[in-house]
C-alpha cells in the first residue's frame, strides 16, 4: 500500500506540541525519506498575512497568499521570499494565527498541491493534522501521535525557552487547550485520527521510544 503515485508515505498527525515534528523528522532521517512539515505551510501563510496586514477574516485574500507563497525548505531552514524565517514562524502569535486561518476551506485548498508535491522517492513522512485523513488517505502507515495537555505544555515551554523566547506555563496551557479545540472542531479537515491510524501516546515515552515504535510499525506494514 502506497500513495497514488507508488511512493511510500507515512502520515503522523496529532495536536500541537505532541512531539510529532521531532519524531517525524527522526523517522525521516532513519528511513532516508523526505519530510513534510505541513504546519510550517500554515505558519508561513500566517506570517505572510501578519506582515502584509491581510485581515484574518478575508478568506479569498488569505487563499491567494497561500497559493502564492514563495517559500523553500533547505537543510532544516525555512525561507519566505528569500528571508530565513525558521525562528519567526515558531512564535506563539504565528502559531495561533495559523490555527485561526487554517479553518478557511479556500486557504486549505490552496495548499493541497504544494503538499502532494512532497511525495517523492524514496518516500515521505508527512506531519500535520489532516495528513492521513485528507492529503494522503492512501498512506501505507498512519500514526496519530498525542500526549497529555500537561506534557505538551511542558514540552512547548522548554522549546520556547531553548529558542530564547519568553514563556509562561499557565498561558501556554490555556493557548494549547484553545488551539486543540479550534483544530478539532473546525468543519473542514478537523484534527482527528484517520481510519486505521495507529495511536501513539508519548506522554511517558522518550523520543527514541516513539521513533522505534513508528519504525517497527512501518517494518510490519511495508511488506
Ligand atoms: O503543527 P503546527 O503547530 O506547526 O501547526 C500550526 C497550525 O497550523 C495548527 O494549529 C493548525 C494548522 N495546521 C492545519 O490546520 N493542518 C495541518 N496539516 C497542519 C497544521
Amino acid at each position: 500500500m502506497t500513495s497514488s503515485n507508488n511512493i511510500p508515505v507515512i502520515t503522523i498527525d496529532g495536536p500541537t506540541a505532541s512531539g510529532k515534528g521531532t519524531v517525524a523528522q527522526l523517522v525521516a532521517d532513519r528511513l532516508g525519506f523526505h519530510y513534510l512539515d505541513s504546519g510550517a505551510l500554515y505558519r508561513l501563510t500566517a506570517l505572510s498575512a501578519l506582515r502584509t496586514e491581510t485581515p484574518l477574516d478575508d478568506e479569498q485574500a488569505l487563499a491567494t497568499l497561500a497559493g502564492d507563497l514563495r517559500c523553500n525548505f533547505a537543510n532544516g531552514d525555512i525561507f519566505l521570499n528569500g528571508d530565513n524565517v525558521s525562528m519567526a514562524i515558531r512564535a506563539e502569535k504565528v502559531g495561533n494565527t495559523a490555527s485561526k486561518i487554517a479553518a478557511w476551506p479556500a486557504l486549505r485548498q490552496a495548499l493541497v498541491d504544494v503538499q502532494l508535491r512532497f511525495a517523492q522517492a524514496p518516500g515521505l513522512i508527512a506531519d500535520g493534522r489532516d495528513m492521513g485523513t485528507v492529503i494522503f488517505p492512501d498512506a501505507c502507515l498512519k500514526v496519530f501521535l498525542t500526549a497529555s495537555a500537561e506534557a505538551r505544555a511542558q514540552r512547548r515551554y522548554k522549546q520556547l525557552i531553548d529558542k530564547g523566547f519568553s514563556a509562561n506555563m499557565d498561558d501556554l496551557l490555556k493557548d494549547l487547550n484553545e488551539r486543540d479545540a479550534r483544530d478539532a472542531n473546525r468543519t473542514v479537515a478537523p484534527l482527528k485520527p484517520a481510519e486505521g491510524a495507529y495511536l501513539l501516546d508519548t506522554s511517558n515515552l522518550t523520543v527514541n521510544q516513539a521513533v522505534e515504535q513508528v519504525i517497527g510499525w512501518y517494518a510490519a506494514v511495508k511488506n
Side-chain angles (χ1 to χ4, degrees), residues 2 34 43 57 77 89 97 104 138 140 142 146 179 200 209 222-223:
T2 54
H34 299 281
R43 286 171 182 268
D57 58 357
D77 278 322
I89 60 163
T97 305
W104 292 120
D138 299 329
C140 58
K142 299 177 186 179
T146 191
R179 199 185 309 181
L200 183 56
Q209 287 171 322
K222 80 174 176 193
N223 299 314

Side-chain angles (χ1 to χ4, degrees), residues 12-18 20-21 36-43 46 89-90 94-103 107-108 111 115 127-131 135 156 179-180 182-183 186 188-191:
I12 303 187
D13 288 305
T16 190
S18 55
K20 67 191 157 50
L36 165 62
D37 172 3
S38 61
L41 295 173
Y42 289 89
R43 286 171 182 268
I89 60 163
R90 298 297 155 200
V94 177
N96 283 326
T97 305
S99 163
K100 285 180 192 148
I101 63 174
L107 183 155
R108 303 195 70 84
L111 292 175
Q115 296 173 84
D127 151 2
R129 304 289 188 290
D130 61 342
M131 298 295 96
I135 306 293
R156 174 55 54 84
R179 199 185 309 181
D180 280 357
R182 212 163 36 226
D183 291 350
R186 66 177 176 229
V188 185
L191 170 67

Side-chain angles (χ1 to χ4, degrees), residues 29-192:
D29 292 347
R30 279 274 296 275
L31 297 175
F33 282 12
H34 299 281
Y35 169 54
L36 165 62
D37 172 3
S38 61
L41 295 173
Y42 289 89
R43 286 171 182 268
L44 284 164
T45 309
L47 182 65
S48 193
L50 292 168
R51 285 185 171 176
T52 55
E53 296 182 12
T54 303
L56 304 185
D57 58 357
D58 189 340
E59 179 174 2
Q60 282 317 316
L62 292 167
T64 304
L65 268 188
D68 292 347
L69 273 183
R70 281 188 50 238
C71 61
N72 70 303
F73 294 74
N75 306 321
D77 278 322
I78 302 177
F79 296 83
L80 179 65
N81 299 320
D83 185 15
N84 188 337
V85 294
S86 315
M87 286 277 286
I89 60 163
R90 298 297 155 200
E92 283 301 284
K93 180 169 168 67
V94 177
N96 283 326
T97 305
S99 163
K100 285 180 192 148
I101 63 174
W104 292 120
L107 183 155
R108 303 195 70 84
Q109 189 56 41
L111 292 175
V112 171
D113 283 346
V114 187
Q115 296 173 84
L116 293 177
R117 281 200 293 272
F118 276 80
Q120 303 275 341
L124 176 70
I125 310 296
D127 151 2
R129 304 289 188 290
D130 61 342
M131 298 295 96
T133 49
V134 176
I135 306 293
F136 299 108
D138 299 329
C140 58
L141 172 66
K142 299 177 186 179
V143 177
F144 192 81
L145 194 147
T146 191
S148 67
E150 288 70 22
R152 291 186 287 126
Q154 195 73 50
R155 286 177 195 164
R156 174 55 54 84
Y157 181 83
K158 189 172 176 312
Q159 256 174 17
L160 288 169
I161 297 294
D162 286 351
K163 288 186 173 155
F165 291 111
S166 62
N168 169 292
M169 267 301 282
D170 290 343
D171 291 348
L172 281 178
L173 197 55
K174 184 169 157 281
D175 275 3
L176 195 132
N177 283 323
E178 279 173 15
R179 199 185 309 181
D180 280 357
R182 212 163 36 226
D183 291 350
N185 294 321
R186 66 177 176 229
T187 26
V188 185
L191 170 67
K192 62 169 186 204

